[in-house]
Every structure is written in structure tokens, then in C-alpha cells.
């Protein structure tokens, strides 16, 4: 049974009388970023009424056929089909769907994605009651009669299960504050407990938990399959663990020393060795191999268990509807060794997941004096790298979207910007979101990016979630926003079916999740010395996350993908490869990369220590074979700052880039006698080469010892690689073969050059070149003529 009576208004007083609703804690919220670690208090104002009359909705569904949905890879990318017809994949998500469903429908959205906690129908061992959830879904259909529902199903343990199985629970290596362990439940609506982040939870290695949670999921699905609701259930998303995004519970406190995890991945190394405070950026395979293997098994267990849930959904529905989840996060995955998705293959390669989703960028400003909601990012030389959220930001994905396409997965972007109706906490909207004009620019950027890139999305409305927000109303229910959203979705619905959504990028940004198995633990960076930076490692924050800000505004589209998804024909597709964190490679992987680049004529930028970490030991020979340079390892701590030496008038204002905090090891390029190379930069604290290029093995090899590189340098490299600059300025550009979006990074005129004729969506001339004047943050959308 549910922890509240669905036939009556409910309040926190009722919740307090139900023990099974009190034990499920969260220190953060849903799909919000980890920076939202706030103590939560009860929702005393939460009052929602459901009654028996809504069950009449089920009678009208009895004559409808079971819903069928699928993702098809057609005309260049993933497309959603509902009952045989292509539909634009855009969904409505809310902290209170019963309050926002109608306003979402007024904005043109009829696909609902409510958050559901399956523990609310699990009252005892092998005892399930799903009638109240059925009533909840019927209520949504009463509000929006033409709606289809794709529920997000969360699998969490009720209090009674945890009390009965104490030996199956997570054990962390560091103490957990009392207010973040076993705290009261929080409900906005009676079907979902927002306290999802409790380390008082089953170990994800527990076989008992895996069996019991699988039984719960099967029971719910069989109930819906036997209900008239199956004509409106267009699919399911499975979610769980910390924030519902499969980050491990207790990730801030070094999990998991429980007996189940010791059996699956042990022996678990000590906390001191895992953190290695003051240690190097790269772990030595000869001394730390056990830490790497523990992390590999730890993350493999998570990924394989998640994939198992997807398989259950497909089995119980006869593969009739779509299934998805959150997974494969790479960018901005904080606390990454414990909370990351470092073994993505079991989920990415699963035939049972049709889509993967993630919230878009949450990177905060590190500019001292900026407000919490500002999003500008700089390096320690003061170079502006870009903006994440807010007006003029890139609003970029944290997942490698080209890898999803190559693995036949649809990407769904979770768009959750706060708007001008939110009076208190504007960090979700970013700079400029507190005005009508700014909010509309952000919404146009977010939905326009989906349209231009060939992806899917949903709006997540946290307006009724108090705390931490104070709007107490829908974030998106106001006439200017309703008109803008409806207008954009009308465009998407009209144009998407006819457009080719194939990728057109000539730049590949390449990442390797497994490299984090061998890099310094995020907790070793404590205390974080920079304003706005927390719970992140050096490699992740600077070389991956902050570098992405400049890649996105290079002025041309870029594809983001895993290293293992590179194909032989990519040497013909891409002119510039950014090998961002390919640090840990075996001999076969090195050989495949060498074969890919040999004779390609491409430009390859190698960051920091490509291939230096091998399976058994450090492999400087692999690093030299990949790049063509000879190196000297520097074990003296020093600033990760490069003194710029490129003599080019367009770059005359740049003197340095990088990060002040000293780290080791670093690497210096050592010229061979008679070797032809171009020195591009030196380590700031020593006269040794940190940045260089040369012709090697039929391609241009560029080595850079740190990141992030400013956008001006990236553009300089890209132009010399022969990449088409779509914008004459360093703008954010997203594109597929049939559509494009440009977001202005500054004021003024720019020339936009497309590879084929396009026109602005507002109308006007069809052409391959457009000269336009734009203001900072302005968004222009184009479609093939």
C-alpha cells in the first residue's frame, strides 16, 4: 500500500504516522546536480486529491489497442514512432505533474513523464498493491485525455526491507553526517519520495536485493500489462541509486565495504589508499592495480545490474514499448571514481535500452564574486572559456551523443532551467534567467539545440519543490513561455520528419571513461581552492568539463564519442580529433588508434599523457608511439600552466593558459636531433616544451600537456586542420544535415557558412552563406531549404 491514503488530502502529519515512509532519505534532489547537497525539510504544504471517479478513465481505454512505441534509426538518426507514426520526442516532467499537466498541454506537450517510486506499492515480502498507482495514472489522463505516459520507475528499498536485511546494506569507509542518513521521507505527490540519496540503502552488489527488486519490477509491469492503461503506456524508464541516476549511494563517503560488495569486487582497498591524498595524477599500475580492479568490478556490477532491469522491462512488455534509463555520463560526473559510470558498455550496448537520458550541463561559475546562478568559466590565466547555462551558454549534453547514435540509442536531454518566476534559486537557469527576455532565449537555445542536433528532450519543472525552490508554481506556465514553447514544438513537429538528421561534424572529441580507474581520486583535491568548484577531480573538471566549454563554442559542430566507438572510416569523416583523456590503453588499443590516424591527413590533439598508463606498468613507449614525440617525465610538482609561444597576430593577446594548482607528473617534449617540430608553448615554471606539433605517420600530431585550451587556440588549430568554420566568430553551433543552430557568444556581425543551402526558420533567402548581426545569447535556427 501507499504511505498515504489517496482518497484524502495528505500532509506531513499523515506521513509521520507511517514508519515505512520515513526511512528513505535524500540529501539532494532528483536529477539536480550534486552541488545541491542541502538538508531537506518536510513538504507541509503538499496537498493532492485523488478520488474514485478517475477510474472511469480506464473504461474509455478498454476499447483502445495496446500502445506500441519504438525507436527507429532512419534518415540519419534516432526517431520515435508511436502506434506506427513518427512523433517528435518531447516530454513533460514535473515535481507535481497533477498541477502542471494541463499547462504543459497548453504549451503543446502531451507526453508525460511522471516520477514513480515502486516502494510505495511494496508493503511486505511478496506483497504488492498497484491500485493506487493505477489511480494516479488515470488522474493524469483525466487532466490530459490525449496524453501518453512514459513513467520513470524508481527502485528503492522500503524501511522494512532494510530493517530485515542489515547485512545487505551499504557500508561506507568514511563517517556520514547524521542528517544525511536515514532521514524523513519527502513527498510532493503521494507516488514519489524525493529523498533518493540515502546511503542507508541496499548494497547494489546484494544478490538478495537484486532478486527482490526484480520481483517488484515484474509485479508492477504485469499489473499494468493487465490494465487498460497499457494503451497509454508508451514506455518505461528505470531509475535508481543516488539521484535516480545510478550514482552509488554514499558516493561522498567512499562506499562500499559491505559483505556483498566484498564478495563481488573485493577485497576493497583502504580509504587512505583509494584517496591517496597528495599523490600523483596517475596511479601506478604496479602498486595500485588492486584499486583499479576494485573500481572496474564495482562499476561493472552497477552497469550489469542496470542492464538487467532493462531486460526485465522488455521481457514483461513483449518488447512492445520503448525502455530507457540514465547512464553513460562522462562530462560533469562529479565524485567520479565512486559516482561515475566508468564501465558504460553493458548499458550502452544493451539491446534492451532504446534511449539514454541525462540532464544538461550544470557547470557553475568559478569567477570570484559571481552569483551562484552565473555560469561563466575561466582558467587561472583569466581566459574566458565559455558559459554553461544561462543566456549565451552552450547548454551542452553531459553524455557522448555520437556514441549513442552509433549504438542505435536515442538521446533525451533533460532541460530543467529555472525561469523568471523563480524568486530564490536561479542556479538551474543560469545567468539572465531572471528576466522574461533571458528565459525565452534559454528555452529557444535548449529546444532549438534538440531540433538542430536530431535529439529528443523533456522539460523538468521543479517549481513546486519547496525547499529548495520558492516559486510554488510551474516554472513554465506563463503566457510568454507557453507561446515560445508551443511555437518551437510546432516547428519541430512540422520539420523533423522531412529532415535528414545525420551528423555533419568534422571535429571529434574523444573520451575514455576507463581512464578514471587510473587517475587521482576526486577527494584528493580537497580542499578545492577555486570558487565554484567542488567534488570534482583535476582531470574531470579542467581537461574534460571546462575544455568542453571551448569545444562547444569553437564555431563549428563537434561530435562527442567514446574512444572505443571510433571506426576505421572516421579518418575520412573527421579532420580534427581531440583525444581528451585517452590515458589508459592496452597495446591493442594503441595499435587501433595508430592504424586509424596513419596516413589520414587529419590533425590529432593529444592531451596530457595519452596511452601512458598500461595494463601492468607505465608505458612511455605507447605515449611516444601514439604522438611521435619523445618525452621526459617531470615528477616535481608544478603549476599546470603553459606559456604560449605561437607567433600569430590573431593570438597576440594570449600569453598563458591552464591551472595554477601544482600537480605531478607532468611531461616535457624532448626534441630529437634533426627533428622538425613547431614549439607552441613551454611550461611556465621551466624552460621545457609543453605544447608542440609535428607531421608524423601521415597526420599532424599536436601534444598539449594540460588543459583547458582557450577557444581561440582551438579555432586556430581547427582552421589549420581544414575544418569548416560555420561561424566567423567563436559561437556555439549545433547542426545535423538538415538543420542548424547558432548561439551568439558576443555582439556584432558574423558570417555563417553552411555546407549546403539553408534558410532561417522565420523565412528569408535560401543560401549557403548568411551575414547576420546578433546580440550576445541570441539564437538563430536554420533548416535546409
Amino acid at each position: 500500500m501507499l504511505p498515504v491514503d489517496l482518497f484524502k488530502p495528505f500532509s506531513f502529519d499523515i506521513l509521520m504516522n507511517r514508519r515505512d515512509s520515513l526511512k528513505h532519505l535524500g540529501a539532494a534532489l532528483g536529477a539536480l546536480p550534486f552541488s545541491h547537497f542541502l538538508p531537506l525539510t518536510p513538504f507541509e504544504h503538499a496537498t493532492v486529491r485523488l478520488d474514485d471517479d478517475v477510474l472511469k478513465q480506464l473504461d474509455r481505454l478498454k476499447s483502445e489497442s495496446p500502445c506500441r512505441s519504438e525507436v527507429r534509426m532512419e534518415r540519419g538518426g534516432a526517431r520515435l514512432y508511436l502506434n506506427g507514426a513518427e512523433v517528435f520526442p518531447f516530454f513533460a516532467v514535473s515535481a507535481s505533474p497533477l498541477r502542471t499537466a494541463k499547462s504543459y498541454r497548453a504549451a503543446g506537450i502531451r507526453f508525460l513523464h511522471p516520477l514513480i517510486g515502486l516502494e510505495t506499492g511494496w508493503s511486505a515480502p511478496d506483497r504488492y498493491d498497484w491500485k493506487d498507482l493505477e489511480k494516479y495514472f488515470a488522474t493524469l489522463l483525466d487532466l490530459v485525455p490525449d496524453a501518453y505516459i512514459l513513467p520513470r520507475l524508481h527502485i528503492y528499498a522500503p524501511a522494512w526491507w532494510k530493517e530485515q536485511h542489515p547485512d545487505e546494506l551499504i557500508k561506507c569507509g568514511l563517517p556520514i553526517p547524521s542528517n544525511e542518513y536515514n532521514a524523513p521521507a519527502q513527498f510532493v505527490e503521494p507516488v514519489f519520495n524525493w529523498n533518493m540519496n540515502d546511503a542507508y540503502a541496499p548494497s547494489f552488489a546484494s544478490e538478495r536485493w537484486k532478486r527482490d527488486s526484480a520481483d517488484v519490477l515484474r509485479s508492477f509491469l504485469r499489473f499494468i500489462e493487465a490494465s487498460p492503461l497499457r494503451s497509454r503506456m508508451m514506455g518505461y524508464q528505470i531509475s535508481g541509486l543516488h539521484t535516480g541516476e545510478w550514482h552509488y549511494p554514499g558516493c561522498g563517503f567512499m562506499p562500499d565495504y559491505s559483505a556483498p560488495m566484498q564478495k563481488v569486487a573485493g577485497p576493497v582497498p583502504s580509504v587512505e589508499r583509494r584517496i591517496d591524498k597528495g599523490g600523483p595524477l596517475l596511479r601506478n599500475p604496479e602498486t595500485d592495480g588492486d584499486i583499479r580492479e576494485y573500481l572496474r568490478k564495482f562499476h561493472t556490477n552497477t552497469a550489469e545490474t542496470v542492464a538487467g532491469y532493462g531486460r526485465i522491462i522488455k521481457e514483461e512488455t513483449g518488447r512492445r514499448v520503448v525502455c530507457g534509463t540514465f547512464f553513460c555520463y562522462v562530462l560533469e560526473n562529479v565524485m567520479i571514481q565512486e559516482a561515475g559510470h566508468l564501465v558504460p558498455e553493458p548499458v550502452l550496448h544493451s539491446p534492451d535500452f532504446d534511449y539514454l537520458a541525462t540532464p544538461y550541463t550544470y557547470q557553475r561559475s568559478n569567477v570570484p564574486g559571481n552569483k551562484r546562478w552565473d555560469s561563466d568559466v575561466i582558467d587561472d590565466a583569466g581566459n574566458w572559456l565559455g558559459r554553461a547555462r544561462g543566456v549565451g551558454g552552450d547548454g551542452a549534453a553531459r553524455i557522448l551523443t555520437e556514441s549513442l547514435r552509433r549504438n542505435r540509442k536515442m538521446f533525451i536531454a533533460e532541460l530543467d532551467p529555472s525561469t523568471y518566476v523563480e524568486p530564490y534559486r536561479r542556479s538551474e537557469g543560469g545567468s539572465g534567467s531572471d528576466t522574461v527576455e533571458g528565459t525565452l532565449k534559454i528555452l529557444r537555445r535548449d529546444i532549438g539545440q534538440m531540433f538542430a542536433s536530431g535529439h529528443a528532450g523533456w522539460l523538468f519543472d521543479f517549481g513546486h519543490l519547496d525547499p529548495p525552490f520558492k516559486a510554488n508554481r510551474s516554472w513554465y506556465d506563463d503566457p510568454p513561455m507557453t507561446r515560445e514553447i508551443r511555437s518551437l514544438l510546432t516547428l519541430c513537429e512540422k520539420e523533423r520528419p522531412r529532415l535528414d538528421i545525420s551528423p555533419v561534424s568534422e571535429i571529434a572529441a574523444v573520451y575514455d571513461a576507463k581512464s578514471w580507474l587510473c587517475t587521482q581520486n576526486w577527494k584528493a583535491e580537497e580542499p578545492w581552492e577555486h570558487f565554484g568548484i567542488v567534488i570534482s577531480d583535476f582531470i574531470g573538471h579542467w581537461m574534460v568539463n571546462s575544455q568542453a566549454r571551448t569545444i562547444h563554442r569553437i564555431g563549428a559542430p563537434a561530435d562527442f564519442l567514446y574512444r572505443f566507438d571510433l571506426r576505421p572510416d572516421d579518418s575520412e569523416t573527421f579532420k580534427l580529433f581531440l583525444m581528451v583523456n585517452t590515458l589508459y590503453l592496452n597495446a591493442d588499443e594503441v595499435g587501433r588508434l595508430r592504424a586509424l590516424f596513419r596516413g589520414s591527413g587529419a590533425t590529432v590533439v593529444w592531451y596530457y599523457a595519452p596511452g601512458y598508463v598500461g595494463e601492468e606498468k607505465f608505458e612511455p613507449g605507447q605515449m611516444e608511439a601514439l604522438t611521435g614525440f619523445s618525452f621526459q617525465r617531470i615528477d616535481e610538482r608544478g603549476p599546470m600552466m603553459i606559456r604560449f609561444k605561437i607567433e600569430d597576430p590573431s593570438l597576440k593577446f594570449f600569453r598563458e593558459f591552464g591551472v595554477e594548482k601544482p600537480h605531478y607528473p607532468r611531461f616535457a617534449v624532448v626534441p630529437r636531433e634533426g627533428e622538425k617540430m613547431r614549439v607552441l608553448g613551454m611550461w611556465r615554471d621551466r624552460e621545457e616544451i609543453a605544447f608542440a606539433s609535428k607531421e608524423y605517420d601521415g597526420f599532424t600530431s599536436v601534444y598539449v600537456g594540460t588543459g583547458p585550451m582557450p577557444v581561440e587556440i582551438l579555432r586556430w588549430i581547427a582552421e589549420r586542420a581544414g575544418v569548416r568554420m560555420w561561424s566567423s566568430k567563436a559561437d556555439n553551433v549545433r547542426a545535423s544535415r538538415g538543420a542548424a543552430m547558432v548561439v551568439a557568444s558576443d555582439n556584432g556581425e558574423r558570417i555563417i557558412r553552411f555546407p549546403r543551402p539553408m534558410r532561417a526558420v522565420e523565412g528569408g533567402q535560401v543560401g549557403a552563406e548568411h551575414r547576420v548581426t546578433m546580440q550576445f545569447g541570441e539564437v538563430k535556427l536554420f533548416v535546409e531549404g
Side-chain angles (χ1 to χ4, degrees), residues 257 262 265-274 290-292 294:
Y257 290 87
Q262 294 279 6
V268 183
S270 70
V271 168
E272 292 74 18
R273 289 188 62 225
R274 287 167 63 182
D290 60 327
I291 297 174
R292 179 190 67 194
Y294 160 67

Side-chain angles (χ1 to χ4, degrees), residues 204 246 297-309 327 341-348 353:
F204 216 46
W246 306 116
K297 293 174 183 177
F298 173 89
H299 289 286
T300 297
N301 173 75
T302 296
E304 289 180 347
T305 305
V306 173
Y309 290 134
F327 216 77
H341 303 149
L342 300 188
V343 181
E345 293 92 331
V347 172
L348 183 64
F353 289 118

Side-chain angles (χ1 to χ4, degrees), residues 279-282 608-609 612 618 620 623-624 630-643 662-670 681-691 703-706:
L281 288 177
L282 301 172
Y608 184 48
Y612 184 73
F618 288 133
M623 189 169 168
E624 295 185 2
S630 292
F631 295 94
Q632 174 188 342
R633 173 172 165 146
I634 306 170
D635 282 319
E636 176 187 341
R637 290 180 182 275
M640 305 296 284
M641 292 286 290
I642 292 177
R643 197 161 21 93
H663 282 289
Y664 79 101
R666 294 178 293 168
F667 300 88
V669 175
V670 179
M682 312 290 286
W683 288 115
R684 189 183 68 180
D685 62 325
R686 52 202 306 146
E687 286 299 315
E688 292 179 285
I689 300 170
F691 188 15
Y703 171 76
V704 60
T706 188

